[in-house]
Amino acid sequence: MPVISDPYAFNEDDLYVDLKSVFGHGHELFLKCEGFNFAGSIKLKAAVEMVEAAERDGTLGPDSILVESSSGNLGVALSMIAASKGYEFLCVTDSRCNLSTRLMMEALGSQVHVIAGQEANGGFLGARLDYVRALCASDTRYVWLSQYTNPSNWKAHYRTTAPEIAKSFPQLDVLFIGAGTTGTLMGCARFFREWHRPVRIIALDSVGSVAFGGPPGRRMIPGLGMSMRPPLLDEAYVDEVIRVEEVDTIRACHRLARHGFLFGGSTGTVVSGAMNWLEQHHTPGLTAVALAPDLGERYLDTVYQANWLEDLYGDELFSAPAEPAEDPSGGV
């Protein structure tokens, strides 16, 4: 019986969903569920690693005020850790952050600043980062962990997520990982580059993200994608990139929900791209794993809300079969 004193001490790390019954096609895909902890997402791992590293090197002290730019999940994880450890925390987000996520951060005692405008070249993210930099320059008490550049972000997954997958799937062939800050992607990719057998690392990105190049476009589902090249990204560790349209993200989410699995938008992107890749490659006996960063409760007013979907994507969204559509992909 687990008994804990700190909320970040619990994280279910060995739960997988076999998606064959949901998507059929005879392709096996095991979905690693990362949302079963008190922060509700995989971001708990990076948050713990970054905070503890800052404490060890003396950057973070008793009078410090944590500040971070986040579209949601890291903000919740840091809110939980800050409440447990007695720090103040300010999350800088933007209008795409789900309402329930903002309310969770505030319930945990954090302040939330919502950026309304966009920076000319960096979009919402650029405006968020400008605000954080100005805040840190105005008061030395502010400590910015900077998930976009902090090596502890990817080290958390090198140390935890990747070894967890390796233990459960010693014959792993393909790993599908969504790309945001690319902390999860880089940590897992570095681990499996050193492993005893080759593993194909496939990154899933949103159409409209410029993380791997290409033109910027509208992105309304938080979690994956970037309006700048991620500083942590090293494309030498990535075998292939698949870009997924948001409509296919939503269709995958709803297909999962109709089978009783309520996942977040990032998971819809990863699953849609992964199932499409498996359908195209027809490789019998392939062992494939995908990462589900969070669950779906925080997306009830967006991905699972009919009026929100119709306003943004029109009433044709579910007129086609709710299968992952053909997604543009290319090697890196």
Side-chain angles (χ1 to χ4, degrees):
M1 178 181 67
V3 177
I4 63 172
S5 299
D6 300 312
Y8 50 87
F10 168 76
N11 188 24
E12 172 56 61
D13 57 19
D14 194 30
L15 178 64
Y16 296 81
V17 175
D18 184 349
L19 293 181
K20 186 188 292 185
S21 63
V22 178
F23 287 89
H25 306 309
H27 304 300
E28 280 196 338
L29 179 64
F30 298 97
L31 188 63
K32 188 178 194 301
C33 302
E34 290 281 352
F36 291 99
N37 55 57
F38 284 103
S41 81
I42 196 171
K43 288 292 189 178
L44 175 62
K45 293 175 174 177
V48 169
E49 193 87 13
M50 290 190 296
V51 168
E52 292 184 346
E55 289 175 332
R56 285 193 302 270
D57 66 20
T59 303
L60 191 57
D63 297 326
S64 298
I65 303 172
L66 280 168
V67 61
E68 186 57 78
S69 161
S70 171
S71 61
N73 281 338
L74 183 71
V76 172
L78 287 173
S79 294
M80 186 189 76
I81 294 168
S84 176
K85 288 177 172 284
Y87 296 117
E88 292 184 57
F89 173 56
L90 169 62
C91 181
V92 180
T93 188
D94 59 62
S95 56
R96 296 170 302 173
C97 179
N98 297 322
L99 175 60
S100 60
T101 301
R102 298 203 299 269
L103 294 175
M104 286 182 70
M105 289 188 278
E106 290 170 349
L108 288 164
S110 299
Q111 292 184 315
V112 181
H113 180 84
V114 181
I115 296 290
Q118 302 185 45
E119 192 269 329
N121 297 315
F124 281 114
L125 177 57
R128 279 161 35 189
L129 297 183
D130 286 346
Y131 184 88
V132 172
R133 291 188 187 102
L135 199 64
C136 292
S138 71
D139 191 332
T140 57
R141 291 177 301 165
Y142 284 104
V143 174
W144 179 22
L145 296 174
S146 185
Q147 62 165 323
Y148 311 102
T149 60
N150 194 326
S152 291
N153 187 344
W154 69 260
K155 288 178 181 178
H157 302 288
Y158 180 92
R159 187 175 62 82
T160 62
T161 309
E164 291 159 8
I165 296 169
K167 179 181 178 182
S168 296
F169 294 92
Q171 300 301 313
L172 180 67
D173 295 302
V174 185
L175 181 59
F176 298 94
I177 305 175
T181 65
T182 68
T184 308
L185 176 65
M186 287 294 96
C188 291
R190 283 187 166 92
F191 177 91
F192 284 110
R193 178 64 63 89
E194 301 167 358
W195 210 35
H196 68 89
R197 58 180 278 122
V199 174
R200 189 165 187 83
I201 302 296
I202 300 181
L204 287 303
D205 197 14
S206 303
V207 170
S209 164
V210 302
F212 295 91
R218 185 187 74 166
R219 292 180 293 111
M220 298 305 298
I221 301 174
L224 295 186
M226 292 277 280
S227 54
M228 66 180 190
R229 179 181 173 84
L232 295 177
L233 175 62
D234 184 344
E235 293 183 49
Y237 288 94
V238 181
D239 295 297
E240 192 171 345
V241 178
I242 298 174
R243 296 176 175 86
V244 179
E245 296 278 0
E246 284 193 338
V247 292
D248 295 321
T249 291
I250 293 162
R251 287 169 181 156
C253 285
H254 282 252
R255 188 177 182 89
L256 286 161
R258 287 201 303 275
H259 287 77
F261 296 108
L262 196 71
F263 284 106
S266 300
T267 299
T269 299
V270 172
V271 168
S272 176
M275 293 307 302
N276 181 66
W277 189 93
L278 292 169
E279 180 73 8
Q280 289 178 350
H281 285 75
H282 299 290
T283 305
L286 203 67
T287 299
V289 171
L291 283 183
D294 61 4
L295 302 178
E297 293 93 335
R298 296 173 193 175
Y299 301 81
L300 293 178
D301 56 348
T302 54
V303 170
Y304 297 102
Q305 215 284 324
N307 291 338
W308 187 87
L309 294 174
E310 185 173 346
D311 288 345
L312 289 174
Y313 305 102
D315 55 10
E316 302 298 316
L317 181 61
F318 295 110
S319 61
E323 301 274 359
E326 292 293 318
D327 301 319
S329 63
V332 174

